[in-house]
Coordinates of all heavy atoms in Angstrom, one line a residue:
M1 N 24.5 -9.9 25.4 CA 25.0 -8.9 24.5 C 25.1 -7.6 25.3 O 24.3 -7.2 26.1 CB 24.0 -8.7 23.3 CG 24.4 -7.6 22.3 SD 23.3 -7.2 21.0 CE 22.8 -8.7 20.3
G2 N 26.3 -6.9 25.1 CA 26.6 -5.7 25.8 C 26.0 -4.5 25.2 O 25.4 -4.6 24.1
I3 N 26.1 -3.4 25.8 CA 25.6 -2.1 25.3 C 26.2 -1.8 24.0 O 25.5 -1.4 23.0 CB 25.8 -1.0 26.3 CG1 24.9 -1.3 27.6 CG2 25.4 0.4 25.7 CD1 25.1 -0.3 28.7
L4 N 27.5 -1.9 23.8 CA 28.1 -1.6 22.5 C 27.6 -2.5 21.4 O 27.4 -2.0 20.3 CB 29.6 -1.7 22.7 CG 30.3 -0.7 23.5 CD1 31.8 -0.9 23.6 CD2 30.1 0.7 23.0
D5 N 27.4 -3.8 21.7 CA 26.9 -4.7 20.7 C 25.4 -4.3 20.3 O 25.1 -4.3 19.1 CB 26.9 -6.1 21.2 CG 28.3 -6.7 21.3 OD1 29.2 -6.2 20.5 OD2 28.5 -7.6 22.1
S6 N 24.7 -3.8 21.3 CA 23.3 -3.4 21.0 C 23.3 -2.2 20.1 O 22.5 -2.1 19.1 CB 22.5 -3.1 22.3 OG 22.4 -4.2 23.1
V7 N 24.2 -1.2 20.4 CA 24.2 0.0 19.6 C 24.7 -0.3 18.2 O 24.2 0.2 17.2 CB 25.2 1.1 20.3 CG1 25.4 2.2 19.4 CG2 24.5 1.5 21.6
R8 N 25.8 -1.1 18.1 CA 26.3 -1.5 16.8 C 25.2 -2.2 16.0 O 25.1 -1.9 14.8 CB 27.5 -2.5 17.0 CG 28.2 -2.8 15.7 CD 29.5 -3.6 15.9 NE 30.5 -2.9 16.7 CZ 31.0 -3.3 17.9 NH1 30.6 -4.5 18.3 NH2 31.8 -2.6 18.5
A9 N 24.5 -3.1 16.5 CA 23.4 -3.8 15.8 C 22.3 -2.8 15.4 O 21.8 -3.0 14.3 CB 22.8 -4.9 16.7
A10 N 22.0 -1.8 16.2 CA 21.0 -0.9 15.8 C 21.5 0.0 14.6 O 20.6 0.5 13.8 CB 20.6 0.0 17.0
L11 N 22.8 0.3 14.5 CA 23.3 1.2 13.5 C 23.6 0.5 12.2 O 23.8 1.1 11.2 CB 24.5 1.9 14.0 CG 24.2 2.9 15.2 CD1 25.5 3.5 15.7 CD2 23.3 4.0 14.8
E12 N 23.8 -0.9 12.2 CA 24.1 -1.6 11.0 C 22.9 -1.6 10.0 O 21.8 -1.6 10.5 CB 24.5 -3.0 11.4 CG 25.8 -3.2 12.0 CD 26.1 -4.6 12.4 OE1 25.3 -5.5 12.1 OE2 27.2 -4.8 12.9
P13 N 23.2 -1.6 8.7 CA 22.1 -1.7 7.8 C 21.3 -3.0 7.9 O 21.8 -4.0 8.3 CB 22.8 -1.7 6.4 CG 24.2 -1.6 6.6 CD 24.5 -1.6 8.1
S14 N 20.0 -2.8 7.7 CA 19.1 -4.0 7.9 C 19.1 -4.7 6.6 O 19.2 -4.2 5.5 CB 17.7 -3.4 8.2 OG 16.8 -4.5 8.3
D15 N 18.8 -6.0 6.7 CA 18.7 -6.9 5.5 C 17.2 -6.9 5.0 O 16.9 -7.4 3.9 CB 19.1 -8.3 5.8 CG 20.6 -8.5 6.0 OD1 21.3 -7.6 5.5 OD2 21.0 -9.5 6.6
R16 N 16.3 -6.2 5.8 CA 14.9 -6.2 5.4 C 14.7 -5.3 4.2 O 15.4 -4.3 4.0 CB 14.1 -5.7 6.5 CG 14.0 -6.6 7.7 CD 13.2 -6.0 8.8 NE 14.1 -5.1 9.5 CZ 13.7 -4.3 10.4 NH1 12.5 -4.2 10.8 NH2 14.6 -3.5 11.0
E17 N 13.8 -5.7 3.3 CA 13.5 -4.9 2.1 C 12.7 -3.7 2.5 O 11.8 -3.8 3.4 CB 12.8 -5.7 1.1 CG 13.6 -6.8 0.5 CD 12.8 -7.5 -0.6 OE1 11.9 -6.9 -1.2 OE2 13.1 -8.7 -0.8
T18 N 12.9 -2.6 1.9 CA 12.0 -1.4 2.1 C 10.8 -1.6 1.3 O 10.8 -2.0 0.1 CB 12.7 -0.1 1.8 OG1 13.2 -0.2 0.4 CG2 13.8 0.2 2.7
P19 N 9.6 -1.3 1.8 CA 8.4 -1.5 1.0 C 8.3 -0.5 -0.2 O 8.9 0.6 -0.2 CB 7.3 -1.1 2.0 CG 7.9 -0.4 3.1 CD 9.4 -0.7 3.1
A20 N 7.7 -1.0 -1.2 CA 7.6 -0.2 -2.5 C 6.6 0.9 -2.2 O 5.7 0.8 -1.4 CB 7.1 -1.1 -3.6
P21 N 6.9 2.1 -2.8 CA 6.0 3.2 -2.7 C 4.6 2.8 -3.2 O 4.5 2.1 -4.2 CB 6.6 4.3 -3.5 CG 7.6 3.7 -4.4 CD 8.0 2.4 -3.8
I22 N 3.6 3.4 -2.6 CA 2.2 3.1 -3.0 C 1.7 4.2 -3.9 O 1.8 5.4 -3.6 CB 1.3 3.0 -1.8 CG1 1.7 1.9 -0.8 CG2 -0.2 2.8 -2.2 CD1 1.7 0.5 -1.4
A23 N 1.2 3.9 -5.1 CA 0.7 4.9 -6.1 C -0.7 5.2 -5.8 O -1.2 6.3 -6.1 CB 0.9 4.4 -7.5
G24 N -1.4 4.3 -5.1 CA -2.8 4.5 -4.8 C -3.4 3.2 -4.4 O -2.7 2.3 -4.1
A25 N -4.8 3.2 -4.4 CA -5.4 1.9 -4.0 C -6.8 1.8 -4.5 O -7.4 2.8 -4.8 CB -5.5 1.9 -2.4
Y26 N -7.3 0.6 -4.7 CA -8.7 0.4 -5.0 C -9.4 0.4 -3.7 O -8.9 -0.2 -2.7 CB -8.9 -1.0 -5.7 CG -8.6 -0.9 -7.2 CD1 -7.4 -1.3 -7.8 CD2 -9.6 -0.3 -8.0 CE1 -7.2 -1.2 -9.1 CE2 -9.4 -0.2 -9.4 CZ -8.2 -0.7 -9.9 OH -8.0 -0.6 -11.3
W27 N -10.5 1.0 -3.7 CA -11.3 1.2 -2.4 C -12.8 0.9 -2.7 O -13.4 1.3 -3.6 CB -11.2 2.7 -2.0 CG -11.9 3.0 -0.7 CD1 -13.1 3.4 -0.5 CD2 -11.3 2.8 0.6 NE1 -13.4 3.6 0.8 CE2 -12.3 3.2 1.5 CE3 -10.1 2.4 1.1 CZ2 -12.1 3.1 2.9 CZ3 -9.9 2.3 2.4 CH2 -10.9 2.7 3.3
C28 N -13.3 0.1 -1.7 CA -14.7 -0.3 -1.8 C -15.5 0.6 -0.8 O -15.2 0.6 0.4 CB -14.9 -1.8 -1.5 SG -16.7 -2.2 -1.5
D29 N -16.4 1.4 -1.4 CA -17.2 2.3 -0.5 C -18.2 1.5 0.4 O -18.5 1.9 1.4 CB -18.0 3.3 -1.4 CG -17.1 4.3 -2.0 OD1 -16.1 4.7 -1.4 OD2 -17.4 4.7 -3.2
D30 N -18.6 0.3 -0.1 CA -19.6 -0.4 0.7 C -19.1 -1.1 1.9 O -19.7 -1.1 3.0 CB -20.3 -1.5 -0.2 CG -21.1 -0.8 -1.3 OD1 -21.6 0.3 -1.1 OD2 -21.3 -1.5 -2.4
C31 N -17.9 -1.7 1.8 CA -17.4 -2.5 2.9 C -16.0 -2.0 3.4 O -15.4 -2.7 4.2 CB -17.4 -4.0 2.6 SG -16.5 -4.5 1.2
A32 N -15.4 -1.0 2.8 CA -14.2 -0.3 3.2 C -13.0 -1.2 3.0 O -12.0 -1.1 3.7 CB -14.3 0.1 4.7
V33 N -13.0 -2.1 2.0 CA -11.8 -2.9 1.6 C -10.9 -2.0 0.8 O -11.3 -1.3 0.0 CB -12.2 -4.2 0.8 CG1 -11.0 -4.9 0.2 CG2 -13.0 -5.1 1.7
R34 N -9.6 -2.1 1.1 CA -8.6 -1.3 0.4 C -7.5 -2.2 -0.1 O -7.0 -3.1 0.6 CB -8.0 -0.3 1.4 CG -6.9 0.6 0.8 CD -6.4 1.6 1.9 NE -5.3 2.3 1.3 CZ -4.0 2.1 1.5 NH1 -3.7 1.1 2.2 NH2 -3.1 2.8 0.9
I35 N -7.2 -2.1 -1.4 CA -6.2 -2.9 -2.0 C -5.1 -1.9 -2.6 O -5.3 -1.3 -3.6 CB -6.7 -3.8 -3.2 CG1 -7.8 -4.7 -2.6 CG2 -5.6 -4.6 -3.8 CD1 -8.5 -5.5 -3.7
P36 N -4.0 -1.8 -1.9 CA -2.9 -0.8 -2.4 C -2.2 -1.3 -3.6 O -2.1 -2.5 -3.8 CB -2.0 -0.8 -1.2 CG -2.3 -1.9 -0.3 CD -3.6 -2.4 -0.6
L37 N -1.8 -0.4 -4.5 CA -1.1 -0.7 -5.7 C 0.2 0.1 -5.8 O 0.3 1.2 -5.3 CB -1.9 -0.3 -6.9 CG -3.3 -1.0 -7.1 CD1 -4.0 -0.4 -8.3 CD2 -3.1 -2.5 -7.3
E38 N 1.2 -0.5 -6.4 CA 2.5 0.1 -6.5 C 2.5 1.0 -7.8 O 3.4 1.9 -7.9 CB 3.6 -0.9 -6.6 CG 3.8 -1.7 -5.3 CD 4.8 -2.8 -5.5 OE1 5.5 -2.9 -6.5 OE2 4.9 -3.6 -4.5
S39 N 1.6 0.8 -8.7 CA 1.5 1.7 -9.9 C 0.1 1.9 -10.3 O -0.8 1.1 -9.9 CB 2.3 1.0 -11.1 OG 1.7 -0.2 -11.4
R40 N -0.1 3.0 -11.0 CA -1.5 3.3 -11.4 C -2.0 2.3 -12.5 O -1.2 1.9 -13.3 CB -1.5 4.7 -12.0 CG -1.3 5.8 -11.0 CD -1.3 7.1 -11.7 NE -2.4 7.8 -11.3 CZ -2.7 9.1 -11.6 NH1 -1.9 9.7 -12.4 NH2 -3.8 9.7 -11.2
P41 N -3.3 2.0 -12.4 CA -3.8 1.1 -13.4 C -4.0 1.8 -14.8 O -4.0 3.0 -14.8 CB -5.2 0.7 -12.9 CG -5.5 1.8 -11.9 CD -4.3 2.3 -11.4
D42 N -4.0 1.0 -15.8 CA -4.1 1.6 -17.2 C -5.6 1.9 -17.4 O -6.5 1.0 -17.2 CB -3.6 0.6 -18.2 CG -2.1 0.4 -18.2 OD1 -1.5 1.3 -17.7 OD2 -1.7 -0.7 -18.5
G43 N -5.9 3.1 -17.9 CA -7.2 3.4 -18.3 C -8.2 3.4 -17.1 O -7.9 3.8 -16.0
N44 N -9.4 2.9 -17.4 CA -10.5 2.9 -16.4 C -10.7 1.5 -15.9 O -11.9 1.1 -15.7 CB -11.8 3.5 -17.0 CG -11.7 5.0 -17.2 OD1 -10.9 5.6 -16.6 ND2 -12.4 5.4 -18.2
E45 N -9.6 0.7 -15.7 CA -9.8 -0.6 -15.2 C -10.5 -0.7 -13.9 O -10.2 0.1 -13.0 CB -8.3 -1.2 -15.1 CG -8.3 -2.6 -14.5 CD -6.9 -3.1 -14.3 OE1 -6.0 -2.5 -14.9 OE2 -6.7 -3.9 -13.4
Q46 N -11.5 -1.5 -13.8 CA -12.2 -1.7 -12.6 C -12.0 -3.1 -12.0 O -11.8 -4.0 -12.7 CB -13.7 -1.5 -12.8 CG -14.1 0.0 -13.2 CD -15.3 0.4 -12.5 OE1 -16.2 -0.4 -12.1 NE2 -15.5 1.7 -12.5
R47 N -12.1 -3.2 -10.7 CA -11.9 -4.4 -10.0 C -13.1 -4.7 -9.1 O -13.6 -3.7 -8.5 CB -10.7 -4.4 -9.1 CG -9.4 -4.4 -9.9 CD -8.3 -4.7 -8.9 NE -7.0 -4.7 -9.6 CZ -5.9 -4.9 -9.1 NH1 -5.8 -5.1 -7.8 NH2 -4.8 -4.9 -9.8
P48 N -13.6 -5.9 -9.0 CA -14.7 -6.2 -8.1 C -14.1 -6.3 -6.7 O -13.0 -6.8 -6.5 CB -15.2 -7.5 -8.6 CG -14.1 -8.1 -9.3 CD -13.3 -7.0 -9.9
C49 N -14.9 -5.9 -5.7 CA -14.4 -6.1 -4.3 C -14.4 -7.6 -4.0 O -15.3 -8.3 -4.3 CB -15.4 -5.4 -3.4 SG -15.1 -5.6 -1.6
P50 N -13.3 -8.0 -3.3 CA -13.3 -9.5 -2.9 C -14.3 -9.9 -1.9 O -14.6 -11.0 -1.8 CB -11.8 -9.6 -2.4 CG -11.4 -8.3 -2.1 CD -12.1 -7.3 -2.9
D51 N -14.8 -8.9 -1.1 CA -15.8 -9.2 -0.1 C -17.3 -9.2 -0.6 O -18.0 -10.0 -0.3 CB -15.6 -8.3 1.1 CG -14.4 -8.6 1.9 OD1 -13.7 -9.6 1.6 OD2 -14.1 -7.8 2.8
C52 N -17.6 -8.1 -1.3 CA -19.0 -7.9 -1.7 C -19.3 -7.9 -3.2 O -20.4 -7.8 -3.7 CB -19.6 -6.6 -1.1 SG -18.9 -5.1 -1.9
D53 N -18.2 -8.0 -4.0 CA -18.3 -8.1 -5.5 C -18.8 -6.8 -6.2 O -19.0 -6.8 -7.4 CB -19.1 -9.3 -5.9 CG -18.7 -9.8 -7.3 OD1 -17.5 -9.8 -7.5 OD2 -19.6 -10.2 -8.0
E54 N -18.9 -5.7 -5.4 CA -19.2 -4.4 -6.0 C -18.0 -3.8 -6.7 O -16.9 -4.1 -6.3 CB -19.8 -3.5 -4.9 CG -21.1 -3.9 -4.4 CD -22.2 -3.7 -5.5 OE1 -22.2 -2.8 -6.2 OE2 -23.0 -4.7 -5.5
P55 N -18.1 -2.9 -7.7 CA -17.0 -2.3 -8.3 C -16.2 -1.4 -7.3 O -16.8 -0.7 -6.5 CB -17.6 -1.5 -9.4 CG -19.0 -1.8 -9.5 CD -19.4 -2.6 -8.3
M56 N -14.9 -1.5 -7.4 CA -14.1 -0.7 -6.5 C -13.6 0.6 -7.3 O -13.4 0.5 -8.5 CB -12.9 -1.5 -6.0 CG -13.3 -2.7 -5.2 SD -11.9 -3.7 -4.7 CE -11.3 -2.8 -3.3
Q57 N -13.3 1.6 -6.5 CA -12.8 2.9 -7.1 C -11.3 2.9 -6.9 O -10.8 2.5 -5.9 CB -13.4 4.1 -6.4 CG -14.8 4.3 -6.6 CD -15.3 5.5 -5.8 OE1 -14.6 6.5 -5.9 NE2 -16.4 5.4 -5.1
F58 N -10.5 3.5 -7.9 CA -9.1 3.7 -7.7 C -8.9 5.1 -7.2 O -9.5 6.1 -7.7 CB -8.3 3.5 -9.0 CG -6.9 3.8 -8.8 CD1 -6.1 2.9 -8.2 CD2 -6.3 5.0 -9.3 CE1 -4.7 3.2 -8.0 CE2 -5.0 5.3 -9.1 CZ -4.2 4.4 -8.5
E59 N -8.2 5.3 -6.1 CA -7.9 6.6 -5.6 C -6.4 6.7 -5.4 O -5.7 5.7 -5.2 CB -8.5 6.7 -4.2 CG -10.1 6.7 -4.3 CD -10.7 6.8 -2.9 OE1 -10.1 6.7 -1.9 OE2 -11.9 7.1 -2.9
L60 N -5.9 7.9 -5.6 CA -4.4 8.2 -5.6 C -3.9 8.2 -4.1 O -4.7 8.3 -3.2 CB -4.1 9.5 -6.2 CG -4.5 9.7 -7.7 CD1 -4.3 11.1 -8.1 CD2 -3.7 8.7 -8.5
S61 N -2.6 8.1 -4.0 CA -2.0 8.1 -2.7 C -2.2 9.5 -2.0 O -2.4 10.5 -2.7 CB -0.5 7.7 -2.8 OG 0.2 8.7 -3.5
P62 N -2.0 9.6 -0.7 CA -2.1 10.9 -0.1 C -1.3 12.0 -0.7 O -1.8 13.2 -0.7 CB -1.7 10.6 1.4 CG -1.9 9.2 1.6 CD -1.6 8.6 0.2
D63 N -0.1 11.8 -1.1 CA 0.7 12.8 -1.7 C 0.4 13.0 -3.2 O 1.0 13.9 -3.8 CB 2.2 12.5 -1.5 CG 2.6 11.2 -2.2 OD1 1.8 10.4 -2.5 OD2 3.8 11.0 -2.3
G64 N -0.6 12.3 -3.7 CA -0.9 12.5 -5.2 C -2.2 13.2 -5.4 O -2.6 13.4 -6.5
G65 N -2.9 13.7 -4.4 CA -4.0 14.5 -4.6 C -5.3 14.0 -3.9 O -5.9 14.6 -3.1
S66 N -5.7 12.8 -4.4 CA -7.0 12.2 -3.9 C -6.6 11.1 -3.0 O -6.2 10.0 -3.4 CB -7.8 11.8 -5.1 OG -9.0 11.1 -4.6
C67 N -6.8 11.3 -1.7 CA -6.3 10.3 -0.7 C -7.0 9.0 -0.8 O -8.2 8.9 -0.9 CB -6.5 10.9 0.7 SG -5.9 9.8 2.0
A68 N -6.2 7.9 -0.7 CA -6.7 6.5 -0.7 C -6.4 5.9 0.7 O -6.1 4.7 0.8 CB -6.0 5.7 -1.8
C69 N -6.4 6.7 1.7 CA -6.1 6.3 3.1 C -7.1 5.3 3.6 O -8.2 5.5 3.6 CB -6.0 7.4 4.0 SG -4.9 8.7 3.4

């Protein structure tokens, strides 16, 4: 492939899907497991941690106030 083909391939739109925005994540304080979510959960829904079975906290995304990084 020549230089022009490389530049053309780099500028063409990609067929890859863009990832969905993250609204926040469930976070386990005990073992640092993070489960990102595309939308906020309804009410005070709690999830058990898949590693330690302790309740996980929902935290908002970094641009939403309470970072779930």
